Amino acid sequence: KTDIKVSLKPIATKFETFSDYVFDDPTREFKGKAETIFEGRLDGGGNTNFESKLLIDNNAPGKMQANFRVRVFETAGAFSSSRLNASYNPYNNYVGVKIPKGGRRRGMLLTDKKHSISIASLDEEGKPVSLKNVKMSLYKVNWRWWWDRSGESLARYAGSSYNRPVKTGTISTSNGAGKWDFESKHPQWGR
């Protein structure tokens, strides 16, 4: 008797020739839990074959690491356990962004000036691909924090945040490359 469980966790999505691009989506949060992908018996040689699909609800921020735990039970009930890891690509293609460098003094992108974001579109092996209808969005992010004390509780940190779309658009990439331009007019500024 044997069983195999897998749990997924995000890893940095990196491609050697595009090391200065960000391919992970910071707006997606993935919390994986262990999932049984096989329960059955081994043959006389200690082997088995099976197929399994890993179910991810499109919340993966990028590439993942699959952590497998394999247990093989003896007739008396004791078991041997083994662990192994493998990289897992939940997507066929990845889109990366390279934000222009900000000013030398404070590292900011200035208002009332056109900025170009470089876009890279790659397959799971890092080869350039052409994509149509790549949705682009620029958000303004605000956050506030304060200390709060109520009842008998100790003071605690409280906070809130929100984001609001400033600009949206659609682009196409050709042979793995694209560009998206934006400009933020004063007094629209912030993170």
Side-chain angles (χ1 to χ4, degrees):
K1 176 181 161 185
T2 188
D3 64 35
I4 302 173
K5 288 190 173 192
V6 64
S7 60
L8 297 170
K9 74 174 192 173
I11 58 174
T13 306
K14 302 236 181 241
F15 297 97
E16 196 172 306
T17 54
F18 293 88
S19 60
D20 51 348
Y21 284 74
V22 175
F23 288 90
D24 292 303
D25 185 344
T27 66
R28 294 183 183 196
E29 188 173 320
F30 183 86
K31 294 193 190 265
K33 60 183 177 189
E35 174 185 341
T36 301
I37 58 171
F38 178 78
E39 288 180 311
R41 296 207 168 270
L42 303 178
D43 65 18
N47 300 307
T48 190
N49 288 315
F50 68 95
E51 285 188 26
S52 178
K53 288 194 177 216
L54 298 177
L55 301 175
I56 297 180
D57 57 4
N58 288 336
N59 267 346
K63 289 186 177 188
M64 307 290 281
Q65 178 175 297
N67 300 308
F68 296 90
R69 188 205 65 197
V70 180
R71 295 188 307 176
V72 178
F73 293 83
E74 297 175 10
T75 308
F79 64 87
S80 297
S81 182
S82 180
R83 295 186 180 273
L84 62 114
N85 303 321
S87 60
Y88 175 67
N89 284 302
Y91 305 111
N92 295 326
N93 298 307
Y94 293 89
V95 176
V97 295
K98 181 172 143 183
I99 308 294
K101 292 189 184 229
R104 284 187 292 162
R105 190 163 167 230
R106 290 185 262 172
M108 298 187 296
L109 299 178
L110 300 176
T111 58
D112 301 322
K113 183 179 178 192
K114 184 176 166 183
H115 301 283
S116 291
I117 296 178
S118 298
I119 310 296
S121 56
L122 310 173
D123 69 11
E124 59 191 28
E125 295 173 4
K127 295 182 180 133
V129 294
S130 298
L131 296 176
K132 293 183 181 206
N133 300 317
V134 177
K135 183 180 175 187
M136 303 296 295
S137 300
L138 175 67
Y139 290 90
K140 179 171 182 166
V141 178
N142 282 330
W143 54 272
R144 306 276 190 265
W145 65 271
W146 60 92
W147 288 99
D148 185 21
R149 181 184 162 115
S150 58
E152 296 179 25
S153 69
L154 298 174
R156 62 183 170 86
Y157 169 82
S160 69
S161 65
Y162 73 90
N163 56 50
R164 177 172 44 92
V166 174
K167 180 181 179 184
T168 60
T170 304
I171 67 158
S172 294
T173 61
S174 177
N175 197 26
K179 176 172 97 155
W180 190 54
D181 297 327
F182 74 92
E183 182 176 355
S184 184
K185 295 285 190 185
H186 184 78
Q188 177 76 338
W189 60 275
R191 296 184 68 171

